[in-house]
């Protein structure tokens, strides 16, 4: 190969090498560029993942707050505070539409103090949290809330004229913009059944991203849900302790409050007063004007009681026309003044259609007259009955207990029954019941004498009727008492009814056990045996106990029917003691709503319908009607 050929050949090789190097360089640049793009994408996806994770954590925190038992204001403040930090918002708050005598306005529902809020506060003529935001109805901000659509505003004087019309210093706005990084205000409407307003978020960014808007909208919906849940919780909580007709406290809350106040009074040696109030002539009002008028009268009593009660008092409706007010820290003289004020106010507030209504009121003071809460209730009731039986529309101060209460009579009767071995209990059960009754109630289970009696009767009933449920005895006594009150019976008769309700069924324990548990129809002989249980109770078990002799006729006739088809004497109509009639209808109702060996329990509604079918037959028309209304009242308590 010649020299020139070699030069030519070498040049070709050099060009090929240069072409290869160029190609490799191009490939390298392309790879490098792809790597840069990939790194940017990874960085972007990492940031998006971080934001998504932060969003999930924030929403999870919101959910935890929503399911807590903390007050709504505390929950909302915790929720909006979670928008700071990782999301780098300068400030956020919830603003609610409200209404007062001056008209509609907006006000801060939450207020978190930080550097930005302090500077914002300095721009206003009134403190931020006290500021009344008179947002005009024709403004874009008002329309944003009404239309439930997201909107953001650039921070300038215009937005402050929307938020705080005529209530800010224009020169301070410029200072706020210069000393903070605030750029925009984002407004997210919050509208639910119970709440109208918006979430306000001050941001350092010029314009929100779509992902940010989506998150904040989702966040606002969570706030709506939190408000709904909190309001539902408050509603349920209120319903659990409130009488729906009057919105006073119900019997359950009253009994708990009485027990708490008694403990507190003993610990501090400080008296409290119990006012027992009974609306006069409710039965007459119902008969004359209808039960809707009776309800109106009951509501009027509640309004007067509420108007004359302090914030620390416990005004309660404890029965159909029965009310009780616990007055902490008030002695007997203060209680008399309060009771007289209620009586006079009630007399001065006529009810539409009915006219003037009045009440009989008893006043008893803990520590002054008794240190036993059960006895306090008894003597307050006794004073109230005295007022009713001596002319009504008056206040009577209770006297210290100087006679045996109905509970003591009942306890002594059960002690004697067990002591005389009149009924075939097992030895262990008899000894256990005897010990409970003989032992001081505070040293047994901490329950009241009434609860002890209910427990004893439940235990005895379960010995011959295993399907008997705990608490039925108490429910029976309460229903029977409620019916008796509707007939305006005297306290003495109501007390006899309560004792009879505890003892009337005790004769069942003398019947053959297999007869009570029989699932097939009874024969005529077996029916005849069943009808003897009132006689067993009256003659075999109770007759030897002298101080319940006035109860015996009541129990003997508690299975007599109004139309004369009952047993054991086939008495009819008004020849049957009213107290016996009340026991029969209460016993029938709870027999129907309990399981029996031969059938399943009726529902409450089915049992009431069955009793209505016997109106004028097994039960008098008047008793049936009053029973139905008493049932309705107790359901609302």
């Amino acid at each position: 190969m010649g020299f020139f050929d070699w030069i030519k050949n070498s040049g070709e090789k050099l060009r090929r090498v240069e072409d290869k190097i160029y190609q490799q360089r191009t490939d390298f640049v392309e790879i490098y560029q792809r790597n840069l793009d990939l790194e940017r994408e990874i960085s972007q996806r990492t940031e998006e993942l971080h934001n998504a994770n932060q969003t999930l954590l924030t929403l999870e925190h919101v959910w935890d707050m929503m399911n807590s038992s903390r007050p709504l204001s505390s929950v909302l403040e915790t929720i909006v505070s979670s928008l700071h930090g990782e999301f780098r918002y300068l400030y956020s708050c919830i603003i609610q539409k409200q209404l007062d005598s001056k008209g509609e306005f907006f006000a801060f529902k939450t207020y978190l103090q930080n550097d930005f809020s302090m500077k914002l506060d300095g721009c206003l003529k009134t403190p931020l949290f006290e500021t009344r935001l008179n947002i005009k109805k024709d403004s874009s901000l008002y329309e944003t809330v009404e239309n439930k659509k997201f909107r953001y505003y650039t921070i300038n004087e215009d937005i402050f004229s929307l938020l705080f019309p005529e209530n800010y210093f224009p020169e301070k706005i410029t200072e706020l913009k210069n000393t903070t990084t605030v750029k925009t205000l984002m407004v997210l409407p919050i509208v639910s059944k119970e709440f109208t307003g918006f979430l306000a978020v001050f941001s350092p960014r010029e314009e929100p991203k779509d992902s940010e808007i989506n998150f904040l909208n989702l966040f606002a919906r969570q706030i709506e849900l939190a408000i709904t849940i909190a309001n539902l919780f408050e509603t349920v909580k209120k319903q659990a302790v409130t009488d729906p007709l009057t919105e006073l406290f119900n019997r359950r809350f009253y009994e708990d409050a009485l027990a708490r106040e008694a403990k507190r009074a003993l610990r501090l040696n400080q008296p409290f007063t119990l006012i027992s109030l009974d609306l006069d002539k409710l039965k007459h009002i119902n008969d004359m004007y209808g039960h809707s008028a009776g309800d109106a009268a009951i509501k009027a009593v509640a309004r007067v009681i509420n108007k004359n009660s302090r914030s620390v008092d416990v005004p309660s409706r404890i029965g159909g026309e029965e009310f009780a007010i616990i007055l902490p820290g008030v002695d007997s003289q203060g209680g008399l003044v309060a009771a007289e004020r209620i009586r006079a106010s009630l007399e001065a507030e006529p009810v539409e259609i009915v006219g003037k209504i009045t009440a009989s009121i008893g006043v008893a003071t803990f520590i002054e007259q008794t240190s036993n809460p059960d006895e306090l209730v008894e003597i307050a009731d006794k004073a109230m009955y005295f007022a009713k039986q001596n002319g009504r529309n008056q206040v009577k101060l209770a006297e210290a207990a100087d006679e045996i209460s109905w509970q003591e009579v009942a306890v002594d009767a059960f002690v004697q029954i067990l002591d005389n071995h009149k009924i075939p209990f097992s030895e262990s059960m008899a000894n256990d019941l005897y010990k409970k009754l003989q032992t001081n109630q505070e040293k047994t289970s901490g329950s009241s004498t009434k609860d002890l009696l209910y427990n004893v009767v439940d235990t005895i009933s379960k010995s011959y009727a295993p399907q008997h449920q705990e608490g039925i005895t108490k429910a029976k006594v309460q229903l029977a008492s409620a019916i008796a009150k509707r007939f305006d019976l005297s306290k003495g008769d109501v007390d006899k009814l309560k004792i009879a309700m505890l003892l009337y069924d005790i004769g069942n324990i003398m019947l053959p056990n297999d007869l009570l548990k029989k699932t097939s129809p009874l024969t005529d002989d077996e029916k005849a045996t069943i009808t003897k249980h009132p006689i067993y109770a009256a003659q075999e078990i109770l007759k030897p106990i002298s101080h319940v002799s006035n109860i015996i006729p009541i129990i003997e006739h508690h299975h007599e029917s109004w139309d004369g088809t009952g047993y054991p004497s086939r008495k009819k109509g008004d020849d049957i003691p009213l107290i016996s009639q009340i026991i029969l209808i209460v016993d029938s109702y709870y027999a129907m709503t309990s399981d029996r060996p031969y059938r399943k329990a009726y529902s409450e509604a089915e049992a009431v319908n069955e009793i209505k079918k016997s109106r004028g037959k097994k039960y008098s028309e008047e008793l049936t009607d009053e029973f139905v209304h008493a049932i309705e009242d107790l359901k609302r308590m």
Side-chain angles (χ1 to χ4, degrees):
M1 178 184 297
F3 175 76
F4 291 105
D5 290 335
W6 178 83
I7 295 251
K8 184 179 178 182
N9 188 40
S10 296
E12 287 294 330
K13 289 182 179 179
L14 182 60
R15 280 194 297 275
R16 284 198 296 270
V17 169
E18 287 177 345
D19 289 343
K20 190 173 183 181
I21 290 173
Y22 178 79
Q23 183 62 43
Q24 287 177 344
R25 179 178 175 277
T26 302
D27 292 344
F28 177 79
V29 170
E30 187 178 336
I31 292 170
Y32 176 75
Q33 188 61 49
R34 283 205 304 266
N35 284 341
L36 285 179
D37 292 341
L38 184 58
E39 285 178 5
R40 280 195 294 268
E41 187 173 351
I42 290 172
S43 178
Q44 183 180 342
R45 294 291 180 265
T46 300
E47 184 179 359
E48 290 175 357
L49 184 60
H50 173 76
N51 290 338
N53 186 52
Q54 186 61 35
T55 298
L56 288 173
L57 288 174
T58 302
L59 292 177
E60 183 180 357
H61 183 55
V62 170
W63 183 253
D64 289 341
M65 289 299 100
M66 288 162 53
N67 287 281
S68 72
S69 58
R70 291 163 55 185
L72 177 60
S73 58
S74 174
V75 170
L76 293 180
E77 286 181 1
T78 303
I79 288 174
V80 295
S81 69
S82 64
L83 283 175
H84 305 286
E86 291 293 332
F87 293 100
R88 299 188 300 279
Y89 294 123
L90 300 176
Y91 191 68
S92 58
C93 59
I94 296 173
I95 295 173
Q96 181 182 13
K97 184 197 289 186
Q98 299 183 23
L99 184 68
D100 65 9
S101 58
K102 295 180 181 179
E104 185 182 272
F105 66 101
F106 287 79
F108 285 83
K109 181 71 175 177
T110 62
Y111 176 70
L112 302 175
Q113 189 168 355
N114 64 7
D115 182 62
F116 182 83
S117 70
M118 293 173 66
K119 289 180 179 179
L120 180 60
D121 206 27
C123 297
L124 306 178
K125 296 178 181 179
T126 58
L128 186 64
F129 196 63
E130 298 175 10
T131 297
R132 182 186 178 101
L133 310 180
N134 295 307
I135 300 172
K136 297 177 181 178
K137 290 189 176 182
D138 59 354
S139 69
S140 63
L141 184 56
Y142 194 95
E143 291 175 2
T144 295
V145 176
E146 290 296 303
N147 295 331
K148 304 179 188 179
K149 290 184 178 180
F150 168 86
R151 185 165 185 168
Y152 75 93
Y153 298 85
T154 300
I155 294 296
N156 53 35
E157 187 176 328
D158 292 341
I159 183 58
F160 283 90
S161 65
L162 289 175
L163 275 173
F164 312 107
E166 301 176 2
N167 191 36
Y168 67 96
F169 301 106
E171 66 277 8
K172 296 287 185 78
I173 300 304
T174 303
E175 183 182 342
L176 177 70
K177 292 174 64 178
N178 293 336
T179 57
T180 67
T181 58
V182 63
K183 295 292 190 300
T184 56
L185 168 66
M186 292 180 282
V187 175
L188 298 103
I190 299 173
V191 181
S192 66
K193 184 178 179 181
E194 305 86 0
F195 187 98
T196 297
F198 58 92
L199 171 66
V201 180
F202 291 88
S203 173
R205 292 177 281 280
E206 294 281 359
E207 186 175 334
K209 298 177 182 178
D210 289 343
S211 59
E212 185 178 11
I213 295 171
N214 291 337
F215 164 70
L216 287 173
N217 274 316
L218 180 59
F219 197 83
R221 302 294 78 76
Q222 295 301 308
I223 293 174
E224 287 177 359
L225 188 56
I227 292 170
T228 300
I229 290 173
N231 285 327
L232 284 173
F233 177 78
E234 286 301 316
T235 300
V236 171
K237 184 178 176 181
K238 182 179 179 183
Q239 288 174 345
V241 300
T242 305
D243 167 55
L245 180 64
T246 63
E247 295 190 355
L248 298 179
F249 291 115
N250 60 20
R251 187 185 194 102
R252 181 187 304 170
F253 184 88
Y254 156 75
E255 290 176 346
D256 290 343
L258 184 66
R260 288 194 305 272
E261 190 58 31
K263 289 179 181 178
R264 189 196 64 81
L266 290 173
R267 186 177 67 253
L268 301 177
N269 194 30
Q270 182 183 59
F272 72 89
T273 290
L274 175 66
I275 293 177
S276 178
L277 183 149
D278 199 89
L279 173 63
D280 292 330
K281 298 184 177 180
L282 177 62
K283 186 174 184 301
H284 171 76
I285 294 171
N286 287 332
D287 292 344
M288 183 69 68
Y289 306 106
H291 285 275
S292 60
D295 285 349
I298 288 169
K299 289 179 181 178
V301 175
R303 283 196 303 273
V304 168
I305 289 175
N306 246 334
K307 195 184 302 180
N308 290 279
S309 294
R310 304 169 301 167
S311 60
V312 296
D313 295 339
V314 183
S316 311
R317 182 185 178 211
I318 59 174
E321 67 271 42
E322 298 174 83
F323 299 83
I325 309 104
I326 300 171
L327 286 70
V330 175
D331 61 15
S332 56
Q333 292 308 305
L336 280 173
V337 171
E340 177 58 31
R341 185 167 58 245
I342 291 172
R343 186 207 64 76
S345 298
L346 185 62
E347 188 179 26
E349 186 168 317
V351 176
E352 189 176 354
I353 300 176
V354 176
K356 186 176 80 172
I357 59 173
T358 62
S360 301
I361 304 175
V363 177
T365 301
F366 196 71
I367 293 181
E368 283 188 31
Q369 292 157 314
T370 177
S371 294
N372 182 307
D374 281 343
E375 199 170 75
L376 182 75
V377 173
E378 285 294 312
I379 63 175
D381 281 350
K382 183 181 175 183
M384 180 271 292
Y385 276 107
F386 181 90
K388 189 176 285 289
Q389 291 166 5
N390 286 272
R392 300 185 175 89
N393 190 27
Q394 58 184 274
V395 175
K396 167 68 176 172
L397 178 63
E399 299 175 359
D402 57 359
E403 63 181 39
I404 299 175
S405 68
W406 70 268
Q407 296 105 312
E408 292 175 291
V409 172
V411 167
D412 189 58
F414 280 109
V415 167
Q416 290 195 49
I417 288 169
L418 292 165
D419 200 33
N420 294 335
H421 304 289
K422 281 289 182 180
I423 48 182
F425 285 136
S426 68
E427 186 176 349
S428 61
M429 187 174 83
N431 289 338
D432 181 57
L433 293 178
Y434 189 83
K435 182 179 178 181
K436 284 182 178 180
L437 290 164
Q438 283 285 64
T439 304
N440 182 286
Q441 62 185 40
E442 294 297 325
K443 295 181 181 179
T444 53
S445 61
S447 61
S448 68
T449 306
K450 285 189 289 188
D451 288 336
L452 176 63
L453 285 165
Y454 299 149
N455 178 264
V456 167
V457 177
D458 283 340
T459 301
I460 292 173
S461 298
K462 285 184 75 69
S463 69
Y464 61 80
Q467 73 276 5
H468 179 89
Q469 297 178 4
E470 295 291 330
I472 290 293
T473 302
K474 181 178 181 179
K476 285 182 178 181
V477 173
Q478 288 182 343
L479 177 56
S481 300
I483 297 170
K485 295 287 178 68
R486 300 186 79 86
F487 281 93
D488 214 11
L489 293 185
S490 68
K491 184 178 188 305
D493 282 341
V494 174
D495 285 350
K496 284 194 288 186
L497 172 62
K498 290 175 180 176
I499 297 169
M501 287 301 303
L502 299 176
L503 295 168
Y504 79 92
D505 232 11
I506 201 168
N508 278 329
I509 204 163
M510 306 291 286
L511 298 175
N513 198 262
D514 57 344
L515 185 59
L516 293 172
K517 296 179 180 178
K518 189 174 181 181
T519 57
S520 58
L522 298 176
T523 65
D524 289 341
D525 288 343
E526 288 170 337
K527 289 178 182 177
T529 301
I530 289 285
T531 61
K532 292 178 181 177
H533 83 270
I535 302 298
Y536 286 148
Q539 301 299 327
E540 299 293 329
I541 299 173
L542 300 177
K543 191 173 182 179
I545 305 172
S546 60
H547 60 268
V548 295
S549 58
N550 59 347
I551 307 296
I552 291 175
I554 297 169
I555 292 177
E556 275 187 320
H557 301 299
H558 80 271
H559 270 296
E560 305 287 359
S561 295
W562 185 252
D563 60 3
T565 59
Y567 59 86
S569 304
R570 292 190 174 273
K571 285 181 176 290
K572 64 187 239 181
D574 289 327
D575 290 339
I576 309 167
L578 176 57
I579 298 177
S580 299
Q581 296 176 48
I582 293 173
I583 293 175
L584 174 63
I585 200 166
V586 172
D587 178 65
S588 299
Y589 174 73
Y590 281 101
M592 283 188 271
T593 54
S594 300
D595 286 332
R596 286 292 184 264
Y598 49 88
R599 63 155 173 80
K600 287 290 185 182
Y602 289 10
S603 69
E604 292 178 359
E606 289 171 338
V608 170
N609 286 333
E610 288 299 314
I611 284 174
K612 286 180 179 178
K613 290 177 184 177
S614 295
R615 183 176 183 269
K617 301 172 186 175
K618 190 172 184 177
Y619 325 104
S620 74
E621 294 178 355
E622 185 179 24
L623 176 61
T624 304
D625 294 343
E626 296 303 335
F627 161 82
V628 171
H629 291 298
I631 283 285
E632 291 172 351
D633 278 343
L634 287 175
K635 281 183 180 179
R636 295 186 295 193
M637 300 306 293

